[in-house]
Amino acid sequence: MRDSAWIGIDFGTSGCRVCAIDKSASIIAQTEQSFPASSKSYPSPQQQSQFLFNTLKTLLSQLSELDIDSISIDATSGSVMLCDFDGHPLSEMLMYNDQQAIEASEDIAKLAPAESAANGPSSGLAKLVYLQRLFALPANYFLLHQADWLAIQLGAKPGFTDYNNALKSGFDVTNNCWPDWLSALTPLHVLPQVVTPGTVIGELSTSVIKALGLKQSTPPLIKAGTTDSLASFIATGANKIGDAVTSLGSTLVLKLVCQSPVFDAKRGIYSHKIGNRWLCGGASNSGGVVLRHYFSDEQLVALSQKIDLQMPVEDYYPLLKPGERFPIADPDSPPRMHPRPAEDHLFLYGLLSGIARIEKAGYECLQQLSKTPLTSIRSVGGGAKNAVWTQLRQSLIDVPFKPVQHTDTAYGSALLAKDGLKLFQ
Ligand code: ADP
């Protein structure tokens, strides 16, 4: 009998990454294809399908001795389109950052609870309502999220989605239903059936198996995926209540595994369901974007080494422009980055310390609202490799800082393909 492999596919903001793991969850192959830098817009649904096939084919060429057991896909959250009951597109895909649906979002705000993730012009629901008003549609069609569209390309039936992707389309994850208030905005039959991530939603179609040149007797299963942020969280290895992940990328993003959900629209805090746990998250306007404004990555490395953590530090709130959303929600909150010391490393010390204090305040806020004590932190993103910053953060937040298993989002999806519903128990 041949050994098995499980495949995770990540459609992020800049490209498609795929990763295959074996039964011990070790990576056995991975590849990626970036979207062309020359292209100003995100690839169309058809182009995404092409990227998916090309990248998968490259990966599978490295796995010819193995049987593919299951595949799972994560993609950007809040990117949606419409298709007919056979899965043929009826609209373009409105991407995660599309802001056209402002009018629709104003109508949603009159009906949706303030804490619903369906609020705001970039929500899946706002885009659905916008598309419905844009042109005449047939009586029967489905709302698709990006991950649903890609799963259909592999052979999944239209009409299914997972509860992480469905959150921004208005799905009530607490009560596990599409809420009644939605019926004033959209016919309910266009909303997909919502399943737990990891649920088997189909198998690779005969034509796809042929196109990919797969030679195995049983078709690989397709398991419902999740959003890119959830898959990236799964990849880190954090999963127990109290585990947290700090993302030190362009923005500072905190996520804490909680026993109860927190929805606080004013502060942009919302919660994804992970089985009987919740992943509560908030994002500050501060973060690496401020560091990059003043210093190159090379300067950040060199200057960090000059910092003496025993020295006093300026009390900064690093922002590029006024306005903070989390942990304090204040659209007028001013940046505080003065006085600027003559020496650059002291200025950087102030910035790193300021962001670390926002992290501390952010976790205090999440702990208080979710009634969940923080027990560990894993760090990801460009700033995570800065050892001086880690030391500074550790001196402020007294919990173990744990190593991150994997930073590759596609690895999180590969784990979802392998462990399926077990990850979401
Ligand atoms: P994103 O994917 O959100 O754009 P990344 O995870 O790629 O972000 O991280 C990029 C950010 O990391 C930049 O804003 C940069 O300033 C910051 N960064 C890079 N190197 C360092 C470093 N050595 N110390 C602190 N921050 C760093």
Side-chain angles (χ1 to χ4, degrees), residues 13 247-251 287-293 295-302 304 348 352 380-387 389:
T13 51
S247 175
L248 298 165
S250 302
T251 52
V289 68
V290 185
L291 304 179
R292 186 159 275 176
H293 181 76
F295 302 113
S296 68
D297 288 1
E298 294 71 28
Q299 286 174 312
L300 288 174
V301 173
S304 296
L348 175 63
L352 295 178
V380 297
K385 55 181 184 276
N386 185 327
W389 201 6

Side-chain angles (χ1 to χ4, degrees), residues 264-268 324-333:
D264 180 342
K266 235 174 47 205
R267 284 192 271 195
E324 176 60 306
R325 45 188 174 153
F326 170 81
I328 45 161
D330 177 1
D332 303 317
S333 169

